[in-house]
């Protein structure tokens, strides 16, 4: 089936941030095989003249752009409202250890609610960090395109075989459902919480299986102190919560990066990464994702985007989980970020924010969407945005005025009314 979709304005989300006014897309999709793609990009009028027999929809006062990708989200923490403490990383991490079991009870409704919110807010693709495996089934049965990062965590040398076995079980479960819509992947929680030997096994598995790899990295000043100087708050943390006195990190930051060679990992947060680390990440062909509101709540700072640009790294913006956010709406996330980065050029920042929820997360997740181009998947979002037609600063006005819920979302060329929710 072929159809034409158009809008007052199309953000192609290519490298130059091209914008097509009164643009149209010819898309094709086969609902049975899921085969779909964008065939042609032109102005709406001439497309409808060339194909008068096709169904055509035009959205006025709206922006059509690639469906969004939320590359870092924890669905399993969707029960949190006020259990976890904010303001500094040690308080937050201690509260997670204390409350994580309570947070994992009666989870399914909250996970469903947040899956629906992703779709309603224009997200077609997610990079879901799965700590326990409770999100696997709800995500398999959702219309989302999922990269499911099975997470490994644990620093006790005696528990490593058990932890690796548990990880393999979850990974195997995911592999049975592997499809163009559901991709099993791996996560090393972080170098402070995952033993070197376990991290090495996960990195090896990711390479061997050719799957995406994600890790939280240099999120807090306490992590930096621990990895670089083997002291500070983490020493107390391991003693207090795990009874390990005189604990030592099993690796430093550079040894961790060495493990990840040839995996093009997705590094999440990197708030305390210095030039040496960013240079290494760029050389590893890694990606950097941040979660601005999570970073505000846990660490009181934002990722330095100028520094990232210096190393030719393009920021990815994500929501993290309700463990460190008040809402998982990705449009609201970039709107907050826009006001957080008060000193950056407003137009440049608006473009970076939009590319950071479309083009770059799609590259990091290895999905053929995130850009409107011929041959790309027909994953598209249409947002009403009053005043966009006459705007002379369209990306900026989109960040400010786009409705926080989509008018229509196409996944593999199919609109909302065809999904089974
Ligand atoms: O990204 C945020 C903050 N940094 C680290 N971890 C998490 C975040 N949100 C949820 N988490 C999870 C993580 O995946 O919390 C646990 C892990 O399972 C923390 S370590 C007990
Ligand atoms: Fe996270």
């Amino acid at each position: 089936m072929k159809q034409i979709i158009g809008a007052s304005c199309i953000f192609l989300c290519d490298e130059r941030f091209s914008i097509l006014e009164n643009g149209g897309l010819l898309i094709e999709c086969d609902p049975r095989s899921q085969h779909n793609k964008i065939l042609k990009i032109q102005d709406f009028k001439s497309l409808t003249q060339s194909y008068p027999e096709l169904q055509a929809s035009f959205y006025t006062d709206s922006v059509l752009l690639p469906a969004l990708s939320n590359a870092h989200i924890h669905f399993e923490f969707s029960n949190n409202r006020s259990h976890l403490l904010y303001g500094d990383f040690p308080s937050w991490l201690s509260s997670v250890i204390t409350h994580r079991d309570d947070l994992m009870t009666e989870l399914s409704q909250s996970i469903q609610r947040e899956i629906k919110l992703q779709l309603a807010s224009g997200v077609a693709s997610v990079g879901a960090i799965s700590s326990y495996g409770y999100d696997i089934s709800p995500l398999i049965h959702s219309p989302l395109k999922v990269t499911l990062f099975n997470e490994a965590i644990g620093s006790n040398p005696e528990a490593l075989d058990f932890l690796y076995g548990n990880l393999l079980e979850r990974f195997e479960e995911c592999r049975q459902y592997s499809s163009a819509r559901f991709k099993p992947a791996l996560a090393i929680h972080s170098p402070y919480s995952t033993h070197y030997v376990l991290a090495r096994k996960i990195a090896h598995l990711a390479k061997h299986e050719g799957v995406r790899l994600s890790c939280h990295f240099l999120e807090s000043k306490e992590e930096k102190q621990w990895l670089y100087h083997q002291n500070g708050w983490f020493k107390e943390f391991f003693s207090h919560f795990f009874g390990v006195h005189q604990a030592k990190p099993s690796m430093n930051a550079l040894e961790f990066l060495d493990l990840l060679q040839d995996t093009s990992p997705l590094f999440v947060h990197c708030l305390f990464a210095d030039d040496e680390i960013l240079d290494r990440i760029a050389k590893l062909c890694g990606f950097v994702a941040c979660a601005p509101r999570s970073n505000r709540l846990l660490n009181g700072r934002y990722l330095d985007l100028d520094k990232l640009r210096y190393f030719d790294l393009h920021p990815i913006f994500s929501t993290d989980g309700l463990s460190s956010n008040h809402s998982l709406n990705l449009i609201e996330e970039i709107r907050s970020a826009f006001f957080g980065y008060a000193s950056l050029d407003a137009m440049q920042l608006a473009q970076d924010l939009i590319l950071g929820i479309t083009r770059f997360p799609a590259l990091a997740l290895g999905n053929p969407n995130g850009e409107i181009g011929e041959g790309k998947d027909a994953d598209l979002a249409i947002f009403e945005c009053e005043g966009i037609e006459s705007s002379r600063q369209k990306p900026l006005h989109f960040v400010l005025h786009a409705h926080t819920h989509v008018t229509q979302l196409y996944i593999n060329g199919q609109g909302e009314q065809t999904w089974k929710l």
Side-chain angles (χ1 to χ4, degrees):
M1 190 185 92
K2 287 183 185 163
Q3 63 172 310
I4 297 166
I5 307 168
S8 356
C9 150
I10 302 185
F11 293 169
L12 297 184
C13 296
D14 53 359
E15 238 157 335
R16 296 171 39 238
F17 207 95
S18 313
I19 297 177
L20 198 59
E21 289 186 42
N22 294 314
L25 307 179
L26 172 65
I27 63 170
E28 77 169 353
C29 89
D30 175 348
R32 277 204 298 220
S33 69
Q34 300 278 315
H35 170 83
N36 76 100
K37 62 172 137 93
I38 299 171
L39 294 174
K40 251 188 196 174
I41 307 162
Q42 258 175 19
D43 68 278
F44 184 76
K45 209 166 163 195
S46 53
L47 260 187
T48 50
Q49 282 164 355
S50 312
Y51 302 92
E53 73 287 2
L54 293 185
Q55 184 197 318
S57 327
F58 188 84
Y59 297 86
T60 51
D61 244 349
S62 298
V63 174
L64 191 172
L65 77 170
L68 314 182
S69 301
N70 194 355
H72 183 77
I73 178 168
H74 302 254
F75 284 101
E76 291 175 316
F77 284 83
S78 295
N79 272 342
N80 181 54
R81 283 290 177 282
S82 53
H83 281 77
L84 304 182
L85 299 180
Y86 297 146
D88 63 278
F89 192 75
S91 304
W92 178 82
L93 190 59
S94 306
S95 68
V96 171
I97 305 292
T98 309
H99 293 292
R100 60 184 165 181
D101 293 343
D102 313 335
L103 288 171
M104 295 305 137
T105 58
E106 297 182 41
L107 242 189
S108 53
Q109 271 191 7
S110 314
I111 292 184
Q112 288 302 345
R113 184 193 63 227
E114 297 309 320
I115 288 174
K116 281 187 187 158
L117 175 64
Q118 293 311 295
L119 296 162
S121 56
V123 170
S125 307
V126 293
I129 305 294
S130 180
S131 307
Y132 303 94
Y134 300 137
D135 49 355
I136 296 174
S137 170
L139 286 169
I140 286 169
H141 295 103
S142 85
L144 289 167
K145 287 190 176 171
V146 179
T147 305
L148 194 120
F149 292 104
N150 290 283
E151 181 182 67
I153 185 170
S155 51
N156 175 358
E158 275 149 45
L160 298 182
D161 287 342
F162 168 80
L163 293 169
Y164 186 65
N166 174 273
L167 184 275
L168 277 185
E169 261 176 45
R170 289 181 278 133
F171 186 61
E172 277 307 319
E173 181 185 349
C174 289
R175 277 218 304 204
Q176 290 171 24
Y177 296 98
S178 181
S179 72
R181 254 189 142 98
F182 186 85
K183 293 194 294 183
L186 294 164
I188 297 169
H189 174 256
S190 74
Y192 67 79
S193 60
T194 314
H195 195 280
Y196 179 79
V197 172
L198 182 57
R200 192 177 55 197
K201 281 185 158 179
I202 306 300
H204 186 264
L205 184 63
K207 265 180 263 184
H208 187 256
E209 298 294 327
V211 301
R212 311 302 302 143
L213 182 63
S214 174
C215 40
H216 295 89
F217 188 42
L218 289 171
E219 178 180 9
S220 64
K221 59 178 187 303
E222 290 79 10
E223 177 180 347
K224 184 159 194 185
Q225 184 70 19
W226 181 242
L227 297 180
Y228 281 77
H229 305 289
Q230 301 85 46
N231 61 24
W233 178 78
F234 269 105
K235 209 167 188 84
E236 247 173 78
F237 169 80
F238 285 110
S239 159
H240 178 75
F241 284 101
F242 302 101
V244 183
H245 309 295
Q246 302 309 321
K248 284 238 156 7
S250 61
M251 61 186 132
N252 65 35
L254 293 172
E255 286 163 343
F256 180 57
L257 292 179
D258 283 342
L259 286 184
L260 307 178
Q261 201 75 46
D262 304 320
T263 62
S264 293
L266 175 55
F267 294 97
V268 182
H269 303 314
C270 296
L271 293 177
F272 292 85
D274 59 17
D275 288 5
E276 183 185 28
I277 294 287
L278 292 175
D279 186 41
R280 291 285 293 273
I281 289 179
K283 288 186 176 132
L284 276 176
C285 300
F287 297 89
V288 177
C290 65
R293 295 197 294 208
S294 170
N295 295 156
R296 168 68 189 93
L297 287 171
L298 272 45
N299 290 288
R301 73 149 80 185
Y302 295 119
L303 183 66
D304 184 341
L305 300 185
D306 284 335
K307 222 164 150 187
L308 228 56
R309 182 183 296 279
Y310 179 81
F311 290 98
D312 243 345
L313 291 163
H314 302 277
I316 290 167
F317 297 93
S318 57
T319 59
D320 224 334
L322 282 175
S323 25
S324 55
N325 209 333
H326 68 97
S327 154
L328 304 187
N329 184 310
L330 196 52
I331 293 290
E332 287 176 6
E333 184 75 43
I334 62 164
R335 194 163 290 157
S336 304
F338 179 80
F339 288 102
Y341 284 104
S343 64
L344 296 185
D345 177 78
M347 275 292 280
Q348 181 65 52
L349 176 61
Q351 289 190 12
D352 287 346
L353 289 168
I354 296 167
L355 295 178
I357 56 172
T358 53
R359 178 180 186 81
F360 294 114
L363 289 174
L365 298 175
N367 289 333
N369 56 18
E371 176 182 355
I372 294 189
E374 290 171 8
K376 292 282 183 184
D377 279 4
D379 295 343
L380 309 165
I382 294 135
F383 289 92
E384 204 175 326
C385 189
E386 284 104 16
I388 202 73
E389 287 169 6
S390 56
S391 166
R392 283 169 296 137
Q393 295 180 316
K394 290 186 188 343
L396 176 49
H397 285 134
F398 175 84
V399 170
L400 295 178
H401 298 299
H403 287 197
T404 51
H405 285 70
V406 269
T407 310
Q408 182 59 282
L409 174 68
Y410 292 89
I411 301 181
N412 286 344
Q414 289 188 267
E416 185 179 8
Q417 61 282 6
T418 56
W419 305 335
K420 286 176 236 100
L421 272 179

